[in-house]
């Protein structure tokens, strides 16, 4: 248990600790959004002796990525080995306080500059009026003073301002300098406890992601390591091969399994900073090797087709341990693992615990041993029929889209290779997903919606073909047109796992025959990729 310690800090101590780097705002805090007027209101509360809330601090020797600059003032880091107090609650107030007292200039995202030195104390104001103000257009010179000048004080104020204000000048300056800021300090709690406290305090806002926490934790200026930038660089490289949708969580989990064979939030947050930094480049190489393997061996051209992002994690682990392309048994057993994970929708829940189990299976594959699986796969035509409702969000359906992509589908019109792109694969109603027996046509025939919108009826085509050439025509009608234009139509259709137009019932517009034959074609492809075990149904 971590007992929070209540306390107070005087103005001088608070400002001093900010300026020497022992009070820091961690990077996972949200951006500073308070306006100059809000800062003035805060300073007004201080000058009137009102409570302004409590600063909650996490005191630790851990080093996080922090907000180092407020406005244009560069703040140093604390000496190595010294304690740092990270602000878990009160960063808007603390930044406003510091900006107002120091008179810094804040540049917002929209590149508008706001000058916090233009906050004033109205020497004519009564106690029940606003004493700290931002608008002095209608004020008489000599009846107000900048907060920054008031804090500096000095003998010059006595000559600059009428003697009737001297008592107020002293009193107001003294109120700032003697104000007791309420604090609660959590001493030397682990990072996961500190961030859990932060999340609970900020319950009305967006919860911190593990990635945001790890960006803060692993930052190292000397080693020039910034996880946020490293991730951006990796995604930029992956975008050149259409794998830019891989999430930051998946990348973190890949690092974790390579280090400790676990990838839960708890395990990730406990990863030693130096070990994380040292292993990063090797894991990145493993991730890129896994992506290249997905693209070349499985012919999955884009990340959006991956049944699960999480599949990258065990494959990255494999390539972290095995630098070369898998051959022989390793290749076959890896492929078997890929398809079992997909067909059983294995990662649809409890990903972290299942990955930990699966790393043991990858270790067996690395030794050329076939893992055993408690859950068998069912690739019977009957099961494929019952589970095939077409939805691009289902990992099970993405598996069949991977089978189609593997064939490198060709255009019905001219036998050109169909381009598969992440942009249009996100939506089931994309024009690049074509119902071979058009939906409108089958509805006229009274076919059930479930069997109309079924993976057995889906082909991947170019946008032009779907919009302008097919529409709601019967397949026999539009395919006869394509036969005249494309002399290699038989090979074209095989690239869509429609192995023979005649036996598939296309020329008879027989959807029942087409449906069962297409499912059988899928089942045959899956058999090639699995190491059939006794618990499997084929």
């Amino acid at each position: 248990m971590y007992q929070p310690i209540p306390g107070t800090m005087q103005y001088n101590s608070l400002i001093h600790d900010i300026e020497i780097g022992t009070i820091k705002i961690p990077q996972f805090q949200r951006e500073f959004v308070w306006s100059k007027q809000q800062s003035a209101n805060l300073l007004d509360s201080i000058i009137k002796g009102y409570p302004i809330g409590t600063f909650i601090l996490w005191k630790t020797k851990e080093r996080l990525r922090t907000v180092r600059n407020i406005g244009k003032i560069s703040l140093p880091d604390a000496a190595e080995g010294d304690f740092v107090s990270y602000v878990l609650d009160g960063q808007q107030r603390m930044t406003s306080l510091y900006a107002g007292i120091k008179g810094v200039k804040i540049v917002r995202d929209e590149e508008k500059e706001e000058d916090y030195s233009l906050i004033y104390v109205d020497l004519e104001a009564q106690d029940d009026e606003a004493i700290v103000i931002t608008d002095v257009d209608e004020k008489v010179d000599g009846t107000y003073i900048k907060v920054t000048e008031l804090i500096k004080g000095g003998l010059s104020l006595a000559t600059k301002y009428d003697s009737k204000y001297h008592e107020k000048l002293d009193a107001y300056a003294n109120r700032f300098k003697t104000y007791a800021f309420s604090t609660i300090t959590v001493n030397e709690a682990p990072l996961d406890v500190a961030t859990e406290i932060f999340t609970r305090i900020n319950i009305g806002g967006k919860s911190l992601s593990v990635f945001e926490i790890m960006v803060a934790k692993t930052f190292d200026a000397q080693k020039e390591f910034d996880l946020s930038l490293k991730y951006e660089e990796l995604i930029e490289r992956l975008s050149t091969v259409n794998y830019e949708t891989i999430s930051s969580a998946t990348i973190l989990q890949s690092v974790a399994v390579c280090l400790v064979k676990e990838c839960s939030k708890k395990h990730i947050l406990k990863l030693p900073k130096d070990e994380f930094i040292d292993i990063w480049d090797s894991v990145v190489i493993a991730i890129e090797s896994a992506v290249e393997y997905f693209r070349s061996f499985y012919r999955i051209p884009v990340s959006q087709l991956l049944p699960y992002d999480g599949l990258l994690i065990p494959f990255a682990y494999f390539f972290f341990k095995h630098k070369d392309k898998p051959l022989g048994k390793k290749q076959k057993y890896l492929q078997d693992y890929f398809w079992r994970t997909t067909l059983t929708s294995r990662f649809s829940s409890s990903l972290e615990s299942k990955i930990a189990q699966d790393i043991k299976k990858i270790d067996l594959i690395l030794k050329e041993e076939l893992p055993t699986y408690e859950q068998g796969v069912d690739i019977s035509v009957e099961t494929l029929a019952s589970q095939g409702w077409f939805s691009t969000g289902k990992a099970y359906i993405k598996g069949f889209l991977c089978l189609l992509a593997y064939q490198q589908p060709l255009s019905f019109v001219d036998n050109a290779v169909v381009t598969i792109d992440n942009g249009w694969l996100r939506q089931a109603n994309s024009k690049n997903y074509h119902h071979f027996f058009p939906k409108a046509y089958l509805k006229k025939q009274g076919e059930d919606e479930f069997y109309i919108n079924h993976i057995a009826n889906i082909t991947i085509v170019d946008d032009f073909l779907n919009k302008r050439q097919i529409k709601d025509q019967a397949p026999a009608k539009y395919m006869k047109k394509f036969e005249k234009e494309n002399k290699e139509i038989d090979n074209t259709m095989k690239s869509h796992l429609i192995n023979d137009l005649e036996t598939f019932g296309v020329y008879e517009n027989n959807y029942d025959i087409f449906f069962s034959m297409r499912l059988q074609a899928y089942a045959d492809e899956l058999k090639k990729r699995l190491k059939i075990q006794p618990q499997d149904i084929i």
Side-chain angles (χ1 to χ4, degrees):
M1 299 294 290
Y2 297 92
Q3 186 67 36
I5 302 171
T8 57
M9 290 186 76
Q10 298 299 117
Y11 158 82
N12 284 336
S13 296
L14 181 66
I15 299 301
H16 175 263
D17 285 357
I18 292 173
E19 294 194 319
I20 66 170
T22 57
I23 289 181
K24 288 287 190 185
I25 296 171
Q27 190 70 32
F28 53 69
Q29 284 275 17
R30 307 305 168 195
E31 292 182 6
F32 177 56
V33 297
W34 274 25
S35 67
K36 185 169 64 176
Q37 183 58 54
Q38 286 175 295
S39 294
N41 293 343
L42 178 77
L43 297 176
D44 189 70
S45 293
I46 292 172
I47 215 168
K48 290 173 177 173
Y50 296 169
I52 63 165
T54 299
F55 295 123
I56 299 181
L57 307 172
W58 171 44
K59 188 174 181 180
T60 179
K61 290 186 177 181
E62 288 226 37
R63 290 295 185 265
L64 305 184
R65 189 180 195 243
T66 59
V67 178
R68 299 188 68 240
N69 299 306
I70 295 177
K72 295 183 178 180
I73 298 177
S74 181
L75 300 173
D77 289 322
E80 195 63 36
D82 285 356
F83 282 102
V84 176
S85 293
Y86 294 103
V87 181
L88 298 182
D89 189 46
Q91 79 109 343
Q92 297 292 331
R93 284 171 285 137
M94 189 171 289
T95 305
S96 285
L97 174 68
Y98 189 80
I101 286 173
K102 290 296 179 179
V104 302
K105 294 180 179 179
I106 301 291
V107 179
R108 306 291 182 183
D109 280 344
E110 58 269 26
E111 298 184 354
K112 289 182 180 178
E113 187 177 77
E114 201 164 14
D115 188 349
Y116 282 69
S117 70
L118 303 180
I119 298 177
Y120 309 88
V121 170
D122 183 356
L123 299 174
E124 290 286 325
Q126 301 300 310
D127 287 347
D128 60 350
E129 297 176 321
I131 297 173
V132 181
I133 58 177
T134 58
D135 184 4
V136 293
D137 287 347
E138 297 182 6
K139 300 293 180 182
V140 178
D141 288 346
T143 65
Y144 59 87
I145 182 174
K146 283 185 176 182
V147 169
T148 52
E149 292 180 8
L150 178 72
I151 297 297
K152 288 177 185 175
L155 294 175
S156 62
L157 295 183
T159 57
K160 191 174 179 180
Y161 289 90
D162 191 295
S163 60
K164 67 180 179 179
Y165 297 128
H166 289 181
E167 186 177 342
K168 273 191 175 181
L169 288 169
D170 288 340
Y172 288 161
N174 192 54
R175 289 181 194 178
F176 276 120
K177 293 175 181 179
T178 59
Y179 189 89
F181 294 96
S182 174
T183 63
I184 291 177
T185 303
V186 181
N187 274 327
E188 299 188 72
L191 177 62
D192 58 334
V193 171
T195 52
E196 177 65 19
I197 292 170
F198 173 86
T199 301
R200 294 191 182 200
I201 291 169
N202 294 275
I203 193 115
K206 179 183 174 186
S207 296
L208 281 177
S209 71
V210 178
F211 184 75
E212 288 174 304
I213 299 169
M214 290 303 289
V215 166
K217 175 179 177 177
T218 60
F219 179 74
D220 192 306
Q222 286 187 330
K223 293 183 178 181
E224 297 184 341
F225 189 88
D226 185 329
L227 178 58
S228 180
L229 296 180
K230 294 287 186 183
Y231 173 69
E232 288 175 9
E233 290 168 2
L234 173 58
I235 293 302
E236 187 174 343
R237 290 198 301 276
L238 292 180
S239 70
T240 64
V241 293
N242 295 311
Y243 267 70
E244 70 276 8
T245 66
I246 301 299
S247 69
S248 58
T250 297
I251 302 300
L252 276 185
Q253 289 164 331
S254 298
V255 176
V257 297
C258 290
L259 268 175
V260 296
K261 298 188 178 185
E262 298 273 3
C263 66
S264 69
K265 176 180 178 180
K266 181 174 83 171
H267 286 97
I268 291 172
L269 293 178
K270 287 184 178 179
L271 294 176
K273 171 182 170 179
D274 289 338
E275 290 182 27
F276 186 102
I277 294 172
D278 291 344
I279 204 176
W280 174 261
D281 288 341
S282 296
V283 176
V284 164
I285 292 170
I287 289 169
E288 293 178 324
S289 297
V291 166
E292 182 54 34
Y293 193 64
F294 287 148
R295 294 179 66 247
S296 58
F297 185 72
Y298 296 112
R299 299 184 193 171
I300 303 173
V302 295
S303 52
Q304 197 67 36
L305 271 187
L306 270 179
Y308 297 104
D309 254 21
L311 272 165
L312 185 65
I313 304 165
F315 275 79
Y317 176 81
F318 177 91
F319 283 99
F320 181 77
K321 297 290 186 178
H322 188 279
K323 309 304 180 186
D324 301 322
K325 183 182 292 187
L327 301 172
K329 290 181 178 179
K330 293 187 185 77
Q331 180 191 89
K332 292 175 182 176
Y333 297 166
L334 263 183
Q335 181 164 239
D336 179 66
Y337 168 78
F338 177 95
W339 286 102
R340 288 179 183 278
T341 302
T342 299
L343 294 170
T344 59
S345 301
R346 178 164 173 76
F347 292 163
S348 60
S349 63
S350 306
L351 170 70
E352 295 168 354
S353 61
K354 287 174 181 175
I355 287 289
Q357 297 165 14
D358 288 4
I359 292 304
K360 296 176 183 177
K361 292 180 171 61
I362 300 299
D363 281 334
L364 289 174
I365 293 171
L366 286 162
K367 295 188 289 186
E368 298 192 339
E369 296 177 19
L370 178 64
T372 56
Y373 297 88
E374 292 181 5
Q375 183 179 2
V377 293
D378 185 345
I379 57 170
S380 64
V381 169
E382 294 77 17
T383 296
L384 299 186
S386 66
Q387 296 186 12
W389 171 263
F390 179 59
S391 168
T392 56
K394 289 170 58 179
Y396 184 81
I397 294 303
K398 283 187 176 183
F400 291 93
L401 294 174
C402 286
L403 288 179
L404 292 177
Y406 182 86
Q407 314 304 317
Q408 296 177 315
L410 304 172
S411 170
F412 296 177
V413 179
D414 59 4
N415 217 41
V417 175
V418 174
T419 300
I420 299 176
D421 178 80
N422 269 324
W424 55 261
L425 285 172
R426 292 184 178 91
Q427 296 180 332
N429 62 358
S430 164
K431 293 297 182 183
N432 296 96
Y433 292 127
H434 166 57
H435 291 74
F436 190 80
F437 275 69
K439 293 173 75 173
Y441 170 78
L442 287 177
K443 284 181 180 179
K444 290 177 185 176
Q445 310 305 311
E447 189 62 65
D448 184 87
E449 179 70 22
F450 179 83
Y451 293 102
I452 295 174
N453 191 50
H454 197 283
I455 189 61
N457 195 26
I458 296 297
T459 52
I460 296 176
V461 300
D462 56 276
D463 186 47
F464 168 82
L465 180 78
N466 216 359
K467 279 183 179 176
R468 306 182 191 179
Q469 298 289 313
I470 298 173
K471 298 182 180 178
D472 62 353
Q473 297 180 71
K477 184 176 181 180
Y478 72 73
M479 285 309 302
K480 284 176 182 176
K481 289 182 184 177
F482 294 141
E483 271 189 323
K484 294 176 183 178
E485 298 170 358
N486 180 2
K487 300 305 180 185
E488 298 181 51
I489 194 69
D490 289 341
N491 286 331
T492 300
M493 301 319 297
K494 286 176 182 176
S495 75
H496 295 272
L497 292 181
I498 301 171
N499 298 327
D500 182 85
L501 288 168
E502 192 167 332
T503 58
F504 270 59
V506 174
Y507 292 134
E508 300 171 17
N509 292 323
N510 190 321
Y511 186 58
D512 289 339
I513 293 175
F514 178 85
F515 186 86
S516 61
M517 292 295 290
R518 192 95 187 294
L519 288 180
Q520 187 59 58
Y522 280 135
D524 292 342
E525 288 296 316
L526 290 171
K527 284 178 194 174
K528 297 176 188 176
R529 291 161 169 77
L530 291 163
K531 298 292 292 181
I532 301 301
Q533 299 189 22
Q535 70 271 33
D536 299 330
I537 301 172
I538 60 175

